[in-house]
Amino acid sequence: MKNLISTLILASTVLLPIKGFSFCGFYVAKADINIKNETSEVILARKGNKTVVTMSNDFKGDVKDFAMVIPVPVLLQENDIKVIDRYIFDKLNTYTGPRLVEYYDQNPCYDGRIYYDMMPSMSMQKNETAIQESEAKELGVAIEAQYTVGEYDILILSAKESEGLKIWLDKNGYKIPANAEEVIEPYIKNKLKFFVAKVNLEEQTKSGFNHLRPIQITYESNRFMLPIRLGMANADKAQDLIIYAFSEEGQIETTNYRTAKIPTDKNIPTFIKDDFSNFYADVFETAYKRNNKNAVFLEYSWDLNSENYTKCDPCATTPPSYAELKDAGVFWVNSGYNNGWGGADYSGKLHITRLHVKYDRKNFPQDLFFQSTPNKQSFQGRYIMNHPVQEAITCKEAENYYLKVLDRRENELENLAYLTEWNTDKYDYYLKTYERKYERVKGDRGNFLPVFKNPFNNNNTPNGTIMIVFLSVLLLICTWFIKKSIKPKVQHQ
């Protein structure tokens, strides 16, 4: 819309492969099973002191070996815990993910004609050892609540010391990471509880699901945070965390780490379309290093207020609906009239923020603490492709057009090198194609003059040289006639 010489064809979110999601606690494992965290994906919905956290599980293996430990600030009641469908994470990833926008140039020979070609958008089994509360008490561990929710058996534990909690878990058949004790201790000192989830095999069979569904918890606390330190307990490398955060007020930011914007609105080469996942992975990695490996990155921020008609620009998919927002834990909006694409079938104030952080012990020694701000400015990770005209250009504008494409492609390769630190020398072909086109039309510039028949050429091909000769001869003839028509003055004496 902003580029008059280009046509917006597709605003497509490329679904980046997100390898495994485990939330910000740690997995514990039976026997000698070794479980590693890689990436987490979390939905936060916050209004006032009330927070809804939805956690997606990435566990790979036999579900009977699964258990997860997460610190929580309060004692959760049974109705504070839900199991929801995984689809909501896919929806929010599609809606907020870094996006590729494609424009197609108009043929410069066809002024005023625009061609639209819309393309489709991309795209615990119950503990076998009986829980002995007397033994737990001796270790300083209290079983404060236990529930079965969906296919999960839930325990809420408190502990007086990390060693006692470690021993209790070991005695009940779980092997926790060797270095988990040191990261548990600060949570105990801050009087946090421990949410332990295990798969109930009988309930899972009844549910008909063959995968672990996300767990959603609700609590009220003045602490607006995510406990990422436990996620490092059984991690052998830096962890990735994607956060979809909803608030009533505006953009959500971290308070104890810098929130930086991912580089955006850059023109990139057209060949990136088939390699966008790797491209963006390196864009993020480069930005992460340039920000000293301790920034939280903003990838998307948009006002979804029900009265704001434009809820994405461009849109990769429809905005979240009322039902989807409810599944995501957004508890303050109400059902309303659906006024079509870009509109809302809910009423209320709402802002969505997508944050991306890569963390390790060295660079992220603290958990993530957040605040909701009044900032409602729109932001998105957006990368632009401009496709040149493919058909032959046979008018005099060809030379200027090809020169413009060459300049643009040089800029695109420079952007690619800056964003990803890729060596762009191997992409020389990207320029050479249009260098040849430019040199050809520059050499054939005379072909854009009117066509004259060449009497010395049986093919009667257009020839600018013949025109020049013809005009020269015509000029000489005109000069001769002018001289003949001017009579010399006769002087009479």
Side-chain angles (χ1 to χ4, degrees):
M1 291 184 292
K2 296 178 182 177
N3 191 337
L4 297 179
I5 64 169
S6 301
T7 302
L8 177 60
I9 295 299
L10 174 65
S12 58
T13 300
V14 179
L15 299 183
L16 303 179
I18 303 178
K19 298 185 286 184
F21 306 102
S22 61
F23 187 53
C24 312
F26 63 79
Y27 286 140
V28 295
K30 288 189 174 181
D32 294 320
I33 296 172
N34 186 23
I35 301 174
K36 299 293 184 183
N37 291 355
E38 288 187 356
T39 308
S40 302
E41 193 179 28
V42 178
I43 303 171
L44 297 177
R46 172 84 169 183
K47 180 184 177 183
N49 282 341
K50 185 175 179 179
T51 304
V52 180
V53 183
T54 309
M55 306 159 277
S56 181
N57 298 310
D58 71 335
F59 179 75
K60 305 292 189 299
D62 195 329
V63 294
K64 67 182 176 60
D65 298 319
F66 169 88
M68 182 172 61
V69 178
I70 302 164
V72 291
V74 297
L75 174 62
L76 300 178
Q77 303 301 315
E78 185 171 2
N79 59 4
D80 295 328
I81 307 167
K82 291 174 60 178
V83 178
I84 67 167
D85 196 276
R86 160 75 209 179
Y87 89 95
I88 189 60
F89 285 91
D90 298 329
K91 170 70 179 189
L92 295 179
N93 181 48
T94 304
Y95 180 68
T96 65
R99 60 206 57 213
L100 181 62
V101 182
E102 296 182 83
Y103 293 85
Y104 284 73
D105 289 353
Q106 292 175 238
N107 190 318
C109 300
Y110 306 138
D111 291 338
R113 295 177 64 184
I114 300 176
Y115 296 90
Y116 294 92
D117 180 17
M118 296 306 294
M119 299 169 62
S121 62
M122 316 266 298
S123 223
M124 252 176 30
Q125 171 183 347
K126 286 187 178 179
N127 198 329
E128 295 166 359
T129 305
I131 299 173
Q132 299 183 16
E133 296 195 15
S134 59
E135 183 184 56
K137 187 175 181 179
E138 291 176 6
L139 294 169
V141 176
I143 303 165
E144 302 203 10
Q146 46 188 319
Y147 319 110
T148 296
V149 180
E151 62 266 35
Y152 294 97
D153 285 333
I154 308 294
L155 292 177
I156 310 295
L157 305 177
S158 62
K160 293 182 179 179
E161 59 174 21
S162 57
E163 178 64 21
L165 181 59
K166 180 181 183 299
I167 292 172
W168 185 90
L169 289 169
D170 283 338
K171 281 183 173 291
N172 284 275
Y174 297 96
K175 178 183 178 182
I176 72 170
N179 54 358
E181 190 176 335
E182 62 184 83
V183 293
I184 289 174
E185 189 62 36
Y187 297 112
I188 293 176
K189 288 182 178 179
N190 282 288
K191 302 187 184 305
L192 269 70
K193 314 295 182 184
F194 294 90
F195 175 99
V196 181
K198 302 170 62 179
V199 175
N200 182 314
L201 291 180
E202 183 178 345
E203 293 299 324
Q204 190 200 31
T205 301
K206 289 180 184 177
S207 72
F209 291 98
N210 55 11
H211 61 275
L212 297 180
R213 293 182 293 169
I215 299 174
Q216 185 176 90
I217 60 175
T218 302
Y219 59 85
E220 292 201 26
S221 171
N222 59 2
R223 298 179 185 180
F224 185 20
M225 53 87 74
L226 277 178
I228 63 172
R229 286 177 298 170
L230 274 185
M232 304 176 205
N234 54 355
D236 54 3
K237 58 184 178 180
Q239 306 296 292
D240 268 299
L241 172 62
I242 305 291
I243 303 166
Y244 311 100
F246 292 94
S247 75
E248 185 180 52
E249 185 179 11
Q251 183 177 304
I252 288 176
E253 300 175 351
T254 47
T255 59
N256 57 333
Y257 295 101
R258 187 165 57 88
T259 301
K261 292 180 178 178
I262 200 73
T264 189
D265 286 332
K266 300 294 184 182
N267 290 76
I268 59 174
T270 55
F271 57 76
I272 293 299
K273 181 175 181 177
D274 296 327
D275 198 26
F276 189 73
S277 291
N278 289 328
F279 161 78
Y280 185 74
D282 285 345
V283 169
F284 181 84
E285 188 69 19
T286 301
Y288 164 70
K289 291 176 181 176
R290 287 176 182 163
N291 284 270
N292 300 318
K293 300 184 178 182
N294 64 354
V296 176
F297 287 93
L298 177 68
E299 291 184 330
Y300 192 85
S301 180
W302 212 275
D303 182 19
L304 299 184
N305 189 318
S306 57
E307 297 177 359
N308 176 23
Y309 186 81
T310 304
K311 293 185 168 52
C312 41
D313 182 19
C315 293
T317 185
T318 55
S321 66
Y322 173 75
E324 290 166 339
L325 291 172
K326 285 299 182 182
D327 283 345
V330 179
F331 54 87
W332 59 90
V333 296
N334 298 309
S335 179
Y337 173 70
N338 186 349
N339 58 355
W341 175 272
D345 63 345
Y346 58 87
S347 61
K349 296 180 180 179
L350 183 63
H351 195 95
I352 185 171
T353 306
R354 175 183 171 126
L355 299 172
H356 187 175
V357 57
K358 186 173 181 177
Y359 61 94
D360 57 22
R361 289 191 184 192
K362 177 181 177 182
N363 297 294
F364 283 83
Q366 300 176 349
D367 292 321
L368 297 179
F369 287 84
F370 304 97
Q371 66 178 0
S372 179
T373 75
N375 181 6
K376 295 186 177 182
Q377 184 178 7
S378 298
F379 178 84
Q380 57 189 331
R382 178 176 177 268
Y383 305 91
I384 306 160
M385 286 185 183
N386 289 279
H387 295 277
V389 175
Q390 296 300 307
E391 66 266 25
I393 301 175
T394 56
C395 61
K396 62 182 180 181
E397 286 80 9
E399 183 179 339
N400 287 337
Y401 173 74
Y402 287 137
L403 185 59
K404 177 183 175 181
V405 172
L406 262 176
D407 289 342
R408 185 173 73 196
R409 289 196 159 200
E410 287 177 354
N411 175 258
E412 290 168 356
L413 288 175
E414 289 171 2
N415 286 343
L416 179 64
Y418 171 76
L419 291 170
T420 63
E421 296 187 342
W422 290 3
N423 182 352
T424 57
D425 291 345
K426 63 181 179 179
Y427 301 117
D428 283 350
Y429 70 87
Y430 192 65
L431 298 177
K432 290 187 182 301
T433 300
Y434 281 86
E435 285 174 353
R436 289 193 293 268
K437 289 177 182 286
Y438 173 70
E439 291 299 330
R440 179 181 58 78
V441 299
K442 184 179 179 182
D444 292 342
R445 191 180 300 159
N447 289 339
F448 300 127
L449 297 170
V451 176
F452 287 84
K453 289 187 177 181
N454 182 353
F456 306 104
N457 187 332
N458 293 330
N459 294 325
N460 291 327
T461 54
N463 193 320
T465 304
I466 295 302
M467 179 184 176
I468 294 172
V469 172
F470 174 80
L471 291 175
S472 299
V473 172
L474 184 62
L475 181 60
L476 288 172
I477 293 172
C478 291
T479 303
W480 183 80
F481 272 107
I482 292 170
K483 287 182 177 180
K484 289 288 290 182
S485 64
I486 299 175
K487 295 181 179 181
K489 291 183 178 181
V490 179
Q491 294 182 353
H492 297 280
Q493 295 184 355

